[in-house]
């Protein structure tokens, strides 16, 4: 039994507070505003007490940068019982929206679905939300009722790290303040989007009276995924406002949603209850994700069916829902309401759905601010056979409904949403961690989370790892959750596995998981088309980062196979390594032979259109070593045709529209590719300098320079005018957009492992095309940090300094031709215009260079 459940069973809020309150760090706002103007927030004395009353009912809190955790406030005094509405948002602009920047209807997320919640304040002391708010910068507290309340501390109790970026194991600093700010976006993002084990409790509470559910996105049983045309019956007691459930839904939660509301007794009803969406004594029914729309997550219009009696709070009702071919028959204590399919707006949205109006499982979750108990669930087939029963009083329901407390350290796609453990996103995330926080528990934890979730041999996805398991879901049900289908996410996952080994030399980890990894690689070999020799999607899925027979996905596949061949060598499977290397090389040749457009000077997006280019095609043809130097140069020059607003659109045929989403996830690959070419080129190049500048000084600068959207984290998408893409839905702490952090560390500071675990490494900065005149920093390695700095001097001189951890060797090089140099004051030998400087473990080198 967890501490949390224990607290519920003893019904002691005091015990609850002492057990749970002990964990996490208290994060306070940096400033707050009660009427005009912000005041700095101070935690000592009563400098930051504020009073909300009829004249000044609203306080806005600014946490400065992204933070996730349990919001709380300490009530110092109050005139009588009051209601306070809290609103949370990443961008400041969300404070003006009725639902903040939410709600998050794609997944339960072990967090609050809603960005607006209301507190019933009846006494002094701490009020703390039951739910985690995944990530926010801004918060409002609004007094809704008469009276006044004095609050003397307000903040977030957080299980996330918020160590200042300059104190992290990895650090980067340069002459360019903007680039330093861009570097810092990455660590702040992974600090909030990676969730440590045992810091995210269940969103459900199990009691002897059934499950006690507060308003949240319904969570679904895995037991009914293949059921159809059944009757689901349960008993429910509304504690406040209403109760909610789903039937005929996908385990992901897309399907019809039913909310039964109470009569709203004045004493126990929040005055801000939205009676348009959920009127009293009503069955409200929507189809889709929830009862409200959220950007691309559409929900059909909400139908209202009034009950012919008053629905009481505190009384038990029996509710059954019968699925048939024309609709859903809902019976509440003997009164039937038929919800005809013809009356519903059936929106499409296959992700998360059952693909059927009559088939799929059931779930439970009341609407915003409602609370209800649910118990004694039974499911009967049309012929009356009992298919399922569950009293809902045992903690085993948490596993069945996928809302177990998280006991794995994992990185999510974003702090506020989807809060799924997306594998593809991790291709950038793990490298940001390696360059900054050095939290290998998150790298190992995330990799193992996917490794635990590999499709079984009987599945069509055999060998594939789940691409987006949720926190709270059991690995046991990986086939039921069926979260597969983005084929290149498997490749990104394998890249991360290889990249973890490259930095850690953790051979035990490779050996332990080798057989699964081998199956994971074998699963992608059928993507190679026999005819073209390029990568093509099969009927089990699609690619996210490029098209079939295309440069991007083929080069990514080839590069992944090359890297996995190195992993095969680590375990001594040299035949396997050779086979994979051969496949990789033949894909690379196929790309060179068929996709290079010599007239336009780029690798074409795919075989079907040789005139179309893409940022991922250009990026991956370089990163996979397919482009030669002249091809790389002309591909980078050709990027100018993809310019759109503050960045590059993903490919030629994408519309030049103000609503086109620029993709920092994909642009991250491009940034690395350009820096790689720059580092390997002896001359400066205007196209490269321009492209680097577009990406850093415009695209990523947008995330730094606009305070109304700033969170200190990286944004999921960006509009051409520099605002966050996807409107309020956009995650402002999405590590998939944080590539500049590791690119600046690996290419501008210039430290990279060249053999596993940094036993050998390179100090090889790109100095010619980047607007930086000096850089310094540290890079964590298993043997301690590498500290390095470089500075351009007058008259073509350059100074570099680096210290090698024990048992490692570093090789120093610079892109340009060298005339002469000294190491620690002694003259060095110039070999073919190059340095010959090795730094051995435990020593430092001061290198002073005169350029040719
Ligand atoms: C408020 O805090 C900011 C940032 O720490 C600081 O620069 C400023 O001087 C402070 N203002 C006052 C009035 O203390
Ligand atoms: C109530 O819900 C409606 C429909 O979604 C919305 O337009 C309105 O802004 C909401 N009102 C409040 C006060 O939140
Ligand atoms: C607030 O709490 C009081 C005291 O427990 C209770 O009587 C009242 O119903 C609650 N109101 C709401 C809106 O939950
Ligand atoms: C959601 O938006 C769509 C149009 O985009 C509309 O048809 C639908 O009725 C809306 N649903 C709700 C609940 O407002
Ligand atoms: C609903 O029916 C149950 C029996 O199934 C009964 O115990 C309960 O009192 C009824 N509730 C109301 C509010 O009538
Ligand atoms: C579905 O149930 C409703 C209400 O019980 C009934 O009127 C309707 O005829 C049923 N439809 C089918 C196809 O059985
Ligand atoms: C439910 O029953 C209807 C009518 O009998 C049938 O057409 C439909 O295929 C069934 N649904 C499923 C998912 O089997
Ligand atoms: C009743 O329906 C269930 C589920 O469709 C089926 O498994 C069972 O065999 C049926 N029983 C009878 C007696 O027809
Ligand atoms: C890939 O290219 C080959 C050779 O042109 C062709 O046979 C195949 O249909 C293409 N596949 C796809 C999915 O485009
Ligand atoms: C690069 O490839 C192109 C096209 O295949 C070829 O014409 C060129 O000579 C190559 N350049 C170098 C430097 O190898
Ligand atoms: C750079 O070169 C110029 C001209 O040769 C010379 O006057 C100047 O002193 C040099 N500066 C430094 C810092 O060496
Ligand atoms: C260096 O390597 C030696 C031999 O492998 C080992 O004994 C020693 O502990 C290592 N030192 C450090 C600092 O890792």
């Amino acid at each position: 039994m967890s501490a949390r459940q224990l607290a519920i069973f003893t019904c002691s809020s005091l015990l609850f507070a002492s057990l749970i309150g002990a964990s996490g760090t208290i994060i306070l706002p940096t400033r707050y505003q009660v009427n005009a103007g912000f005041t700095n927030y101070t935690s000592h004395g009563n400098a930051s007490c504020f009073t909300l009353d009829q004249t000044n009912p609203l306080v806005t809190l600014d946490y400065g940068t992204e933070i996730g955790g349990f919001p709380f406030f300490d009530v110092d005094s109050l005139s009588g019982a009051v209601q306070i509405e809290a609103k949370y948002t990443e961008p400041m602009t969300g404070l003006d929206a009725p639902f903040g920047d939410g709600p998050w209807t794609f997944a339960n997320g072990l967090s609050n679905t809603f960005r607006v919640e209301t507190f019933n304040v009846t006494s002094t002391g701490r009020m703390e939300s039951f739910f985690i708010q995944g990530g926010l910068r801004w918060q409002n507290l609004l007094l809704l009722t008469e009276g006044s309340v004095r609050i003397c501390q307000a903040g977030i109790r957080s299980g996330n790290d918020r160590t200042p970026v300059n104190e992290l194991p990895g650090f980067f600093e340069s002459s360019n303040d903007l680039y330093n700010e861009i570097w810092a976006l990455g660590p702040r993002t992974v600090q909030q989007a990676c969730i440590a084990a045992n810091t995210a409790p269940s969103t459900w509470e199990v009691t002897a009276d059934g499950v006690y559910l507060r308003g949240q996105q319904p969570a679904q049983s895995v037991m009914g995924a293949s059921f159809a045309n059944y009757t689901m019956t349960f008993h429910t007691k509304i504690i406040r406002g209403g109760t909610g459930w789903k039937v005929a839904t996908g385990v992901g939660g897309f399907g019809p949603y039913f909310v039964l509301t109470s009569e709203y007794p004045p004493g126990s009803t929040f005055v801000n209850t939205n009676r348009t969406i959920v009127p009293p004594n009503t069955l409200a029914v929507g189809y889709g994700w929830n009862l409200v729309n959220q950007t691309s997550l559409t929900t059909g219009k909400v139908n209202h069916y009034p009950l012919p009696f008053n629905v009481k709070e505190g009384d038990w009702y029996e509710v059954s829902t019968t699925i048939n071919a024309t609709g859903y028959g809902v019976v509440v204590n003997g009164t039937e309401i038929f919800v005809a399919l013809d009356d519903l707006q059936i929106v499409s949205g296959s992700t998360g759905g059952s693909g059927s109006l009559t088939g799929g499982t059931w779930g439970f979750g009341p609407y915003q601010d409602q609370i209800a108990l649910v118990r004694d669930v039974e499911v009967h087939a049309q012929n009356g056979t009992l298919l399922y029963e569950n009293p809902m009083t045992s903690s085993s329901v948490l596993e069945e409904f996928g809302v177990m407390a998280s006991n794995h350290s994992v990185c999510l796609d974003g702090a506020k949403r989807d809060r799924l453990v997306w594998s593809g996103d991790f291709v950038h995330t793990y490298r940001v961690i390696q360059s900054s926080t050095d939290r290998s528990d998150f790298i190992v934890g995330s990799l193992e989370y996917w490794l635990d979730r590999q499709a079984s041999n009987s599945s069509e996805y055999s060998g594939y790892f789940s691409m987006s398991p949720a926190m709270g879901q059991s690995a046991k049900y990986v086939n039921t959750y069926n979260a597969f289908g983005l084929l290149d996410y498997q490749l990104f996952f394998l890249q991360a596995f290889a990249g973890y080994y490259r930095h850690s030399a953790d051979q035990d980890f490779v050996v332990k998981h080798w057989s699964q990894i081998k199956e994971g690689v074998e699963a992608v070999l059928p993507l190679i088309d026999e005819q073209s020799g390029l990568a093509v999607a099969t009927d089990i899925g699609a690619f996210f980062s490029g098209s079939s027979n295309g440069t991007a996905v083929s080069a990514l596949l080839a590069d992944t196979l090359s890297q996995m061949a190195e992993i095969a060598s680590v375990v001594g499977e040299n035949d396997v390594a050779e086979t994979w290397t051969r496949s990789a090389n033949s894909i690379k040749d196929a790309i060179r032979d068929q996709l290079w457009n010599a007239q336009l000077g780029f690798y074409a997006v795919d075989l079907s259109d040789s005139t179309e280019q893409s940022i991922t095609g250009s990026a991956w043809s370089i990163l996979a070593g397919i482009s030669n130097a002249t091809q790389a140069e002309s591909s980078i020059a050709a990027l100018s045709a993809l310019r759109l607003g503050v960045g590059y659109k993903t490919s030629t045929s994408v519309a030049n529209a103000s609503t086109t989403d620029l993709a920092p996830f994909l642009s991250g690959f491009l940034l690395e590719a350009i820096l790689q070419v720059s580092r390997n080129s002896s001359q400066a190049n205007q196209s490269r300098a321009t492209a680097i500048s577009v990406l850093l000084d415009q695209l990523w600068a947008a995330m730094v320079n606009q305070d109304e959207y700033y969170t200190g984290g990286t944004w999921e998408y960006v509009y051409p005018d520099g605002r966050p893409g996807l409107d309020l839905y956009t995650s402002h702490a999405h590590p998939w957009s944080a590539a500049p952090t590791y690119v600046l560390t690996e290419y501008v500071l210039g430290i990279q492992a060249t053999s596993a675990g940094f036993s050998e490494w390179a100090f090889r900065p790109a100095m010619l095309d980047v607007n930086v005149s000096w850089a310094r920093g540290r890079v964590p390695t298993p043997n301690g940090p590498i500290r390095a700095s470089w500075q351009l001097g007058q008259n073509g001189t350059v100074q570099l300094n680096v210290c090698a951890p024990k048992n490692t060797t570093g090789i120093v090089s610079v892109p340009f031709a060298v005339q002469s140099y000294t190491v620690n004051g002694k003259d060095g030998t110039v070999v073919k215009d190059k340095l010959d400087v090795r730094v051995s473990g435990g020593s430092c080198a001061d290198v002073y260079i005169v350029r040719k």
Side-chain angles (χ1 to χ4, degrees), residues 767 789-793 797-801 846-849:
M767 299 164 159
S789 65
W790 60 263
Q791 177 157 26
L792 302 178
T797 61
V798 186
Q799 217 166 339
L800 299 94
N801 178 273
D846 255 317
V847 185
Y848 182 81
I849 303 171

Side-chain angles (χ1 to χ4, degrees), residues 31-41 47-62 139-143 149-151:
R31 47 184 203 145
Y32 69 105
Q33 176 178 39
V34 177
N35 35 47
F38 276 93
T39 309
N40 283 357
Y41 190 99
S48 292
C49 296
F50 46 82
T51 298
L52 303 181
D53 56 24
Q54 257 45 66
T55 324
N56 290 309
L58 176 71
V59 63
T60 297
L61 309 174
D62 175 7
Q139 178 184 349
N140 271 352
L141 289 172
L142 174 67
L143 177 67
V149 56
R150 183 173 142 95
I151 291 171

Side-chain angles (χ1 to χ4, degrees), residues 78 170 237 260 262 345 662 682 701 759 791 798:
L78 74 171
K237 179 160 93 177
L260 175 68
S262 78
Q345 184 189 2
L662 305 178
S682 58
S759 59
Q791 177 157 26
V798 186

